[in-house]
Amino acid sequence: LLKRDSGKADCSKTEGTADLICYRGSKTVFVVNGLKPSTRYTFRMQIFTHKSSSLLSDGIQIWTKPPTCKAPIIVHIENKSVILKMHAPRSNGKFKVEKMAKNARKGTKIKEDWTKVYEGTDHLVKVTQLSPNTEYAFRCKLINQNGDGGDHSGTITAKTRGYKFGIIPENAPEVFTIECTGSVVIGDLILFTERLAITNEGKLVYG
């Protein structure tokens, strides 16, 4: 059995290739060791007898799996987003990032399953559309040019920030109308009260 190494991980060219004999024998099932991850190989077979040998068969191309990357690194956390940094060997493949909500504030339902949030080549990824004050788990894996994925990395957790409820209204005189049931004189203390509520989507509502 002959194998042809493309010579470069995720390489689409055939320059610098070399035929190497990786097996001689009579077995129909065997393991080829010493291959590089995320690399395209072409295998061909030739049969030998005690009198002659056959021509080489047509080649079959096989991609090896990408290596396992490390867990993402948390760079920055906001109310509804998290910035992650991927740490993996450079190649022409892609990253696939997944998230899973682990717990949330009261009154908010979550789905405890892994969902894809990014697939591309950037090493810095901003995951958006998250819920405030919620803990998430993140993991990633590498994908080669053939679309084959490696094993998932370890997980890392991050909790998004909650909203600050200590909001001071700056336009109370423009919003509220003062109705006096009695006389108002200089020196009286007038209190402006305002009821504020924040929805699950983070929208400020005046009550």
Side-chain angles (χ1 to χ4, degrees), residues 42-53:
T42 300
F43 292 89
R44 298 188 297 173
M45 186 175 64
Q46 189 176 21
I47 298 177
F48 290 88
T49 66
H50 64 284
K51 291 185 178 181
S52 62
S53 62

Side-chain angles (χ1 to χ4, degrees), residues 98-195:
E98 298 175 331
K99 72 173 177 67
M100 179 179 67
K102 301 187 66 176
N103 57 62
R105 65 179 186 273
K106 294 182 179 179
T108 303
K109 295 182 179 180
I110 61 175
K111 294 182 179 180
E112 294 187 350
D113 55 355
W114 291 101
T115 56
K116 183 179 72 173
V117 294
Y118 175 79
E119 184 172 323
T121 58
D122 294 334
H123 282 250
L124 280 178
V125 177
K126 184 174 184 179
V127 182
T128 59
Q129 299 181 351
L130 303 179
S131 299
N133 198 28
T134 303
E135 186 178 5
Y136 289 90
F138 299 94
R139 68 183 184 182
C140 66
K141 67 178 180 180
L142 289 173
I143 300 176
N144 61 23
Q145 285 188 343
N146 196 45
D148 304 320
D151 295 330
H152 285 101
S153 68
T155 61
I156 188 170
T157 59
K159 186 175 182 180
T160 52
R161 297 180 180 180
Y163 287 106
K164 295 182 179 180
F165 290 89
I167 302 176
I168 301 176
E170 298 179 354
N171 59 341
E174 301 175 3
V175 175
F176 297 95
T177 302
I178 302 174
E179 297 180 357
C180 298
T181 57
S183 59
V184 179
V185 298
I186 298 176
D188 287 347
L189 178 63
I190 300 176
L191 299 178
F192 293 91
T193 60
E194 182 179 12
R195 296 182 61 186

Side-chain angles (χ1 to χ4, degrees), residues 6-7 13 22 30 40-41 47 57 62 65 67-68 72 96-97 103 111 114 117 128 134 158 162 173 185 188 191 198:
S6 63
K13 299 180 180 180
C22 58
F30 52 89
R40 183 184 63 190
Y41 291 89
I47 298 177
S57 67
I62 298 177
K65 287 179 57 176
T68 302
K96 180 180 180 181
V97 183
N103 57 62
K111 294 182 179 180
W114 291 101
V117 294
T128 59
T134 303
V185 298
D188 287 347
L191 299 178
I198 297 180

